[in-house]
């Protein structure tokens, strides 16, 4: 694998500590990259006061830009007056100041003499011309100058667009793409130097078309949000809520850019800021950051702006039942046929916004992107849509949609009269194929970019039409599939919904470990998509409770423990490759594997308390064992305390780094940033463990525990929490049992216990809780409502 080509970045400078600049710096720090964050010198006090204020703001921001709080220490505040020499040893410089071309050019004149000739210099603009910005740079810096466009919030959004200008060296682009992909975990799309690049050009157009048709069909903003959110595979914040989150003033600025820079765009007539938006801006009601915009909270109620009333009214985000039933149709072609033929204004509205989106993408594709895949992935990664525009068109039936657009153009129903480009109607039925996606500029299906970094992605995110084949099946049952790519390492994937763990998964894990010991160098536990596992299969538990079948439940808990112990004591290494949720039993499986490789966005926790239970797949046992090891023969109680709180308060990590701090992951576990590289890294870990003559840990026979003394201290803390109203009676009952297991049972301090002893305690208390009415109520409530009941 050619990873030695990776562009090495020791230090980064970010110019501009506004919302984006500061968050880009935070994500660099998450990746253990040293960052110097620049801004203007403060007028009085500490010259770096502006940057320090930005960093203080980052600590309060939700969702948090830092993987753990201490990462903020990797950011050094600086200012343009005193600290420009600090640029000389930076390998990457990202300018992220306001979207004013004159301000940016002024700054370049100031900093360019301090930038090292090897460094990449990039502007984080969301749509200004990269060629125009490059004009003020000395020629030797131009070869390493390009656009880089992070999406907000930079830690969580996959997309980064990179944009060359005419002098940019191709190697610079490759280096930057490799760094962004592996080190920062991003999905990189190369865009052309056109206004707003790809994602914002299409995303903002879609918003403008939606606003245009909202007015045309006289729909309320709340109704439009009910129609344009998750029900059509888009972000929950839909259209107008998104507008409030992004900032109404920001959108107005982007619209103005489109209006000024795209005078010949056939859709130019809708590139204007509606008068109601102007009115909100003049009142300062620019969205969430100002306490209100299209929506605002009055007491506990959400109110929405009503243009007819010229005032706010309580929001009632409901779509018509007829339209809801059309949107629930599984078959995309049937869904689009019904939307197009329906007389319901809401259905006609939806058809109109999709038709205009397809029409726009077809006309603009050649100018703005290399191929249809780049456009679709840019929109999915940058705007959180489930499918890109071309994928949606292809799924709905290429010819049907094409004919319908042509009919609407002929009937004068479309905003623009532009015909569809010839390639759309050349008898094709798709743009995405197994061998690549259509590019109008080359008139070929273009395969994916072949950089060494992409060899690490065995299964990159697919677009419609691309197939993934997951190796050769070695063993399969109802719950799992064991397979291999290379005949050396076996890979175990769950088939259940949310990768929940039921009897068939447990049997599958136990059998797969035996097969791996027999035929492979090791086993990787990896799911073909997130989450890793949402925990035990509660539906199966509920059914057994209904039938009063405690024998089955006892067997299931014992098998859970057997599966965890099989993973831990396997004679070949077992590596968990984790991303997304790893809760309850999913977390216990990770804790028992020889090693974990976790994507940064991993949210782990032993959350059984939420359903009135405690960890019984070895989670309590594992925490007791870890505390004993950490205490190194000294007082074990302070080490246990953290683990007790994790279980009693059902703490879930906010990142893989946080999972290490909480103790769900071990210090030796590996964290990577790009989830598409998980399987590659995990397989390499298995091979390297195997090559070093891996032996599993032996079963523990001498775990030192705190005994009754430690348990009593935990119970006293529970009494205080109960008295303060922080926990319920039933939480207290569960907590007392957790305390007893972590203490090692009713024995004296300093005694030693075995793995089996602790597992037996877990089993006994778990079954006691399962028989209690309050636990049964919690399980039922969680299954029906998807959230915990505090009874």
């Amino acid at each position: 694998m050619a990873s030695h080509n990776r562009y090495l970045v020791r230090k980064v400078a970010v110019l501009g500590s506004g919302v984006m600049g500061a968050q880009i710096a935070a994500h660099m720090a998450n990746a253990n990259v040293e960052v110097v964050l620049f801004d203007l010198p403060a007028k009085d006090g500490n010259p770096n006061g502006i940057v320090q204020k930005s960093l203080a703001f980052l600590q309060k921001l939700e969702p948090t830009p830092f993987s753990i709080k201490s990462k903020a220490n990797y950011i050094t505040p600086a200012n343009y007056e005193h600290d420009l020499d600090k640029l000389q040893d930076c390998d990457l410089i990202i300018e992220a100041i306001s979207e004013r071309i004159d301000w940016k050019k002024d700054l370049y004149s100031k900093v360019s003499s301090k930038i090292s000739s090897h460094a990449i210099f990039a502007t984080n603009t969301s749509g200004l011309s990269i060629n125009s910005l490059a004009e003020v740079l000395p020629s030797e810096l131009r070869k390493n100058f390009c656009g880089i466009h992070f999406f907000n919030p930079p830690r969580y959004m996959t997309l980064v667009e990179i944009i060359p200008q005419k002098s940019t060296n191709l190697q610079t682009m490759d280096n930057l793409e490799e760094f962004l992909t592996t080190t920062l975990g991003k999905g990189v799309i190369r865009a052309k130097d056109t206004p707003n690049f790809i994602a914002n050009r299409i995303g903002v157009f879609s918003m403008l078309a939606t606003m245009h048709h909202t007015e045309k069909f006289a729909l309320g903003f709340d109704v439009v949000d009910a129609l344009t959110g998750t029900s059509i595979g888009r972000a929950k914040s839909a259209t107008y809520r998104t507008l409030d989150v992004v900032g109404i003033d920001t959108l107005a600025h982007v619209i103005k850019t489109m209006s000024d820079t795209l005078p010949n765009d056939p859709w130019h007539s809708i590139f204007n800021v509606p008068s109601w938006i102007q009115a909100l801006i003049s009142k300062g009601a620019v969205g969430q950051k100002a306490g209100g915009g299209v929506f605002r909270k009055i007491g506990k109620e959400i109110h929405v702006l009503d243009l007819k009333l010229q005032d706010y009214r309580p929001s009632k985000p409901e779509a018509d039942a007829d339209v809801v039933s059309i949107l629930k149709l599984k078959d995309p072609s049937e869904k689009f046929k019904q939307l197009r033929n329906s007389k319901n204004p809401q259905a006609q509205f939806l058809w109109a916004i999709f038709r205009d989106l397809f029409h726009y993408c077809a006309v603009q594709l050649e100018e703005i992107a290399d191929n249809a895949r780049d456009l679709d992935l840019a929109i999915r990664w940058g705007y959180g849509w489930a499918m890109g525009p071309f994928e949606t068109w292809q799924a709905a039936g290429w010819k049907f949609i094409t004919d319908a657009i042509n009919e609407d153009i002929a009937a004068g129903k479309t905003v623009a009269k532009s015909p569809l480009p010839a390639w759309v109607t050349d008898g094709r039925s798709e743009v995405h194929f197994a061998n690549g996606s259509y590019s109008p500029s080359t008139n070929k299906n273009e395969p994916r970019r072949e950089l060494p970094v992409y060899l690490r992605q065995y299964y990159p995110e697919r677009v419609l039409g691309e197939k993934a084949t997951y190796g050769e099946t070695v063993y399969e049952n109802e719950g799992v599939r064991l397979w291999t790519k290379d005949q050396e390492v076996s890979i175990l994937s769950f088939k259940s919904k949310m990768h929940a763990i039921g009897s068939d998964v447990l049997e599958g894990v136990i059998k797969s470990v035996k097969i791996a010991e027999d035929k492979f160098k090791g086993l990787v536990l990896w799911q073909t998509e997130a989450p890793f596992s949402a925990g035990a299969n509660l539906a199966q538990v509920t059914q057994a409770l209904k039938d009063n079948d405690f024998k089955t439940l006892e067997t299931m808990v014992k098998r859970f423990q057997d599966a965890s112990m099989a993973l831990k004591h396997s004679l070949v290494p077992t590596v968990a490759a984790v991303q997304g949720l790893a809760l309850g039993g999913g977390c216990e499986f990770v804790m028992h594997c020889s090693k974990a490789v976790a994507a940064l966005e991993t949210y782990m926790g032993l959350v059984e308390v939420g359903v009135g239970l405690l960890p019984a797949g070895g989670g309590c046992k594992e925490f007791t064992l870890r505390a004993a090891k950490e205490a190194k023969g000294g007082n074990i109680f302070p080490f246990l305390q953290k683990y007790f709180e994790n279980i009693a308060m059902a703490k879930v990590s906010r990142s893989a780094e946080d999972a290490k701090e909480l103790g769900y992951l071990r210090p030796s576990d590996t964290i990577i940033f790009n989830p598409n590289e998980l399987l590659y890294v995990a397989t390499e870990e298995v091979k390297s463990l195997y090559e070093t003559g891996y032996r599993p840990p032996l079963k523990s026979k001498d775990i030192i525990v705190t005994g009754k003394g430690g348990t009593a201290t935990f119970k006293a803390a529970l009494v205080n929490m109960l008295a303060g109203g922080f926990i319920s009676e039933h939480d207290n009952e569960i907590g007392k049992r957790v305390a007893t297991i972590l203490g090692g049972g009713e024995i004296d301090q300093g005694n030693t216990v075995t793995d089996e002893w602790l597992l037996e305690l877990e089993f006994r208390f778990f079954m006691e809780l399962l028989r209690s009415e309050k636990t049964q109520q919690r399980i039922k409530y969680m299954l029906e409502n998807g959230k915990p009941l505090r009874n």
Side-chain angles (χ1 to χ4, degrees):
M1 196 65 63
S3 57
H4 58 269
N5 287 2
R6 194 173 318 150
Y7 180 62
L8 299 174
V9 173
R10 191 178 296 281
K11 198 187 239 184
V12 170
V14 178
L15 311 179
S17 71
V19 177
M20 278 307 277
Q23 287 192 81
I24 291 167
H27 195 54
M28 295 283 177
N30 288 339
N32 288 358
V33 177
E34 209 184 319
V35 198
V36 190
L37 180 59
F38 280 84
D39 214 308
L40 295 164
K43 293 213 167 41
D44 38 43
N46 185 326
N48 295 327
I50 293 175
V51 176
Q52 281 165 335
K53 204 169 162 189
S54 295
L55 292 175
F57 171 72
L58 283 188
Q59 297 284 9
K60 298 191 197 89
L61 209 53
E62 285 295 332
T64 171
F66 290 111
S67 55
I68 43 173
K69 279 196 159 56
S70 60
K71 293 286 183 180
N73 301 333
Y74 295 153
I75 303 176
T76 304
N79 69 80
Y80 304 128
E81 202 167 295
H82 307 101
D83 302 313
L84 286 184
D85 285 346
K86 291 191 167 130
L87 291 173
Q88 286 167 353
D89 55 353
C90 291
D91 307 297
L92 170 63
I93 291 124
I94 298 174
E95 169 271 303
I97 67 167
S98 296
E99 291 285 85
R100 287 260 313 254
I101 215 157
D102 52 341
W103 291 359
K104 287 181 189 283
K105 286 182 169 181
D106 278 352
L107 182 61
Y108 298 177
S109 307
K110 189 180 279 182
V111 301
S112 57
S113 65
K114 303 291 185 183
I115 295 175
S116 148
S117 61
H118 80 279
I120 297 177
F121 183 24
T123 171
N124 181 61
T125 173
S126 55
L128 296 175
S129 163
I130 311 301
N131 278 295
S132 169
L133 286 167
E135 287 166 3
V136 294
L137 291 173
S139 57
E140 69 273 11
L141 285 187
R142 282 188 208 170
K143 67 180 190 310
N144 289 341
F145 180 73
C146 61
I148 186 169
H149 180 210
F150 285 86
F151 276 65
N152 193 12
R155 171 182 159 188
Y156 300 96
M157 296 304 282
T158 304
L159 180 64
V160 176
E161 292 172 318
I162 58 175
I163 311 97
Q165 36 84 27
K166 55 182 184 286
S167 327
T168 312
N169 181 325
L170 187 64
Q171 189 60 50
T172 297
M173 297 297 285
D174 290 354
N175 289 346
L176 187 57
E177 188 162 345
E178 300 232 347
F179 170 74
L180 291 167
T181 303
T182 289
T183 308
L184 297 189
K186 296 299 164 200
V188 177
I189 298 289
R190 293 197 189 188
K192 299 180 181 183
D193 189 15
T194 57
N196 291 355
F197 314 127
I198 302 174
N200 276 349
R201 178 80 173 265
I202 300 302
V204 173
F205 169 79
S206 174
M207 223 163 182
L208 287 167
T210 304
M211 280 155 58
H212 171 76
H213 290 297
T214 301
E215 194 176 328
K216 199 168 148 190
F217 288 95
L219 297 176
F221 297 141
D222 46 353
V223 171
V224 170
D225 274 10
L227 291 167
T228 58
T230 48
S231 60
I232 61 167
R234 296 191 186 168
K236 200 163 67 192
S237 55
T239 303
Y240 292 100
R241 179 84 191 92
T242 299
L243 184 53
D244 277 351
V245 172
V246 168
I248 293 172
D249 50 345
T250 307
L251 183 82
H253 178 81
V254 175
I255 297 171
K256 184 171 179 337
T257 304
M258 284 179 81
S259 180
D260 293 349
T261 54
L262 297 165
N264 303 322
D265 190 303
W267 281 263
H268 191 268
S269 65
I270 62 167
F271 297 173
N272 52 43
V273 180
S275 55
W276 61 268
I277 283 194
Q278 305 275 24
L280 285 177
I281 293 172
S282 65
K283 288 187 190 124
V286 292
Q288 192 173 283
K289 60 189 173 189
V294 180
F295 294 93
R296 69 176 189 196
K297 214 168 179 184
I298 299 177
K300 288 202 166 167
E301 276 191 333
I302 302 289
H303 286 229
V304 63
L305 181 64
D306 188 315
L307 296 183
K308 284 198 211 80
L309 298 174
Q310 288 290 302
D311 202 357
Y312 287 86
R313 60 165 170 79
S315 170
K316 287 196 280 294
E318 281 168 19
D320 286 352
D322 295 354
V323 179
V324 172
S325 64
I326 295 176
L327 292 176
K328 283 191 174 148
L329 292 170
K330 289 273 179 280
D331 177 5
S333 62
E334 189 51 40
K335 185 187 304 186
F336 273 90
K337 281 189 179 115
Q338 292 202 23
L339 285 176
R340 167 137 168 88
N341 298 328
S342 168
K343 295 282 176 274
N344 184 305
Q346 293 185 8
Q348 291 175 349
F349 161 80
L350 282 170
W351 163 251
I353 66 170
F354 272 110
R355 174 204 63 213
D356 288 358
L357 173 68
F358 298 150
H359 189 185
Y360 193 75
C361 288
V363 170
Q364 303 297 354
L365 176 60
E366 182 167 2
E367 186 200 336
I368 67 172
D370 284 337
N371 56 64
R373 179 184 52 251
D374 283 0
L375 187 146
D376 277 350
L377 287 177
I379 281 288
R380 273 170 36 179
W381 292 341
Y383 277 77
W385 293 10
M387 285 174 96
F390 287 117
E391 290 178 289
T392 310
W393 183 345
Q394 184 165 316
W398 190 266
K399 187 172 178 343
F400 161 70
I401 295 285
T402 304
D403 291 346
I405 295 172
N406 278 330
E407 281 168 32
D408 282 8
I409 295 171
K413 290 182 180 174
T414 56
V415 174
K417 306 292 173 274
S418 276
L420 286 169
W423 63 263
V424 174
T425 51
D426 63 3
R428 71 175 50 251
S429 57
E430 53 209 337
V431 284
H432 296 304
F433 303 83
N435 66 343
S437 293
Y438 183 71
S439 163
S441 51
T442 61
N443 193 26
K444 288 208 298 269
N445 299 328
E446 293 294 339
R448 287 173 176 265
R449 196 182 300 289
E450 288 186 358
L451 287 176
V453 70
Y454 293 125
L455 298 174
R456 299 164 60 87
Q457 298 189 11
Y458 291 151
Y459 298 99
E461 234 171 290
R462 301 193 299 285
V463 288
L464 192 76
E466 285 183 310
K467 298 275 180 282
T469 49
Y470 294 105
E472 178 190 318
T473 304
V474 178
Y475 155 76
E476 194 166 12
N477 72 6
E478 285 299 303
V480 307
R481 175 173 177 255
L482 183 71
W483 53 285
T484 182
K485 261 178 73 63
D486 60 4
Q487 305 301 325
E488 288 194 334
V489 175
S490 61
I491 301 160
L492 180 64
S493 304
F494 299 172
K495 298 182 340 191
S496 48
K497 187 180 175 188
M498 295 288 280
H499 306 128
I501 301 164
S503 307
D504 42 10
V505 171
L506 297 171
E507 293 309 321
V509 170
I510 293 165
K511 174 125 194 221
S512 296
V513 170
K514 285 200 180 85
I515 296 169
E517 287 179 330
D518 198 26
K519 297 189 172 151
F520 295 95
K521 288 184 175 177
L523 177 137
V524 171
L525 191 45
W526 176 80
Q527 314 299 7
T528 54
E529 70 256 341
F532 178 77
S533 170
N537 182 338
L538 290 179
Q540 209 173 15
V541 173
T542 305
Q543 193 51 53
L545 287 172
K546 260 193 201 142
D547 302 341
N548 209 22
D549 181 2
F550 282 94
K551 196 88 211 105
T552 293
L553 289 166
E554 284 182 359
T555 308
M556 197 169 160
V557 181
K558 285 284 188 204
R559 288 310 265 168
F560 219 129
Q561 295 185 341
D562 292 345
S564 289
M565 294 301 267
L567 287 167
K568 181 163 184 171
H569 298 292
S570 158
L571 287 169
V572 291
T574 57
V575 173
V578 202
Q579 69 158 314
L581 298 174
L583 302 177
C587 180
E588 289 174 296
F589 277 174
V590 178
M591 291 169 75
H592 282 81
C593 284
S594 326
K595 181 150 195 187
V597 176
L600 181 72
E601 300 310 332
T602 293
Y603 313 112
M604 288 178 77
L606 296 173
V607 295
E608 286 83 353
V609 171
V611 287
L613 293 166
L614 50 76
C620 297
K621 176 265 306 171
E622 204 55 29
F623 269 165
T624 309
L625 182 61
R626 288 181 187 186
K629 278 187 182 157
E630 286 160 11
K632 296 187 174 73
N635 180 6
I636 183 176
F637 187 79
F639 297 96
L640 266 185
Q641 201 162 2
K642 168 172 87 172
Y643 297 141
F644 175 71
E645 280 175 14
N646 284 354
I647 298 173
M649 296 165 78
K651 282 189 182 175
V652 176
S653 73
R654 303 185 69 180
S655 67
E657 292 275 9
D658 192 32
K660 274 193 179 183
E661 293 208 335
L662 292 168
Y664 295 124
L665 289 177
R666 294 154 290 205
S668 57
D669 288 331
T670 300
I671 295 174
I672 66 164
F673 274 55
N674 197 318
N676 291 327
E677 296 182 359
L678 265 179
L679 186 57
Y680 164 72
V681 176
T683 334
E684 294 296 310
E685 291 277 12
V686 162
K687 290 175 185 170
S688 106
L689 285 167
Y690 178 83
E691 296 306 339
T692 53
Y694 176 80
R695 291 293 304 171
L698 293 171
K699 290 192 175 161
S700 310
K701 298 198 180 329
D702 55 352
I703 307 166
I704 299 174
V705 290
T706 62
K708 289 184 282 197
T711 304
T713 313
F714 283 137
K715 287 181 178 172
L718 287 166
V719 169
N720 289 336
M721 287 168 81
L722 185 62
F726 296 109
I727 59 171
S728 69
E729 269 300 343
H730 196 50
D731 291 330
N732 183 41
E733 283 305 314
I734 304 162
K736 287 195 301 200
R737 288 169 172 80
V738 172
T740 307
I741 303 168
L742 294 183
E746 297 296 326
I747 57 175
D748 290 328
Q749 186 155 2
N751 274 343
T752 62
V753 298
T754 62
D755 281 347
E756 270 84 6
W757 170 267
L758 293 171
L759 288 170
E760 189 49 46
L761 286 176
E762 283 186 3
F763 171 75
R764 197 174 88 220
F765 288 138
F766 187 90
M767 292 312 300
E768 269 179 25
L769 288 168
L770 259 187
R771 290 174 192 276
S772 81
E773 191 187 336
K774 289 204 161 165
T775 286
Q776 293 180 12
Q777 286 168 354
R778 283 191 183 192
I779 293 172
K780 184 170 184 283
Y781 189 87
M782 175 62 89
L783 260 184
E784 289 168 2
N785 303 286
K787 54 183 184 214
L789 168 72
R790 295 298 300 276
N791 59 352

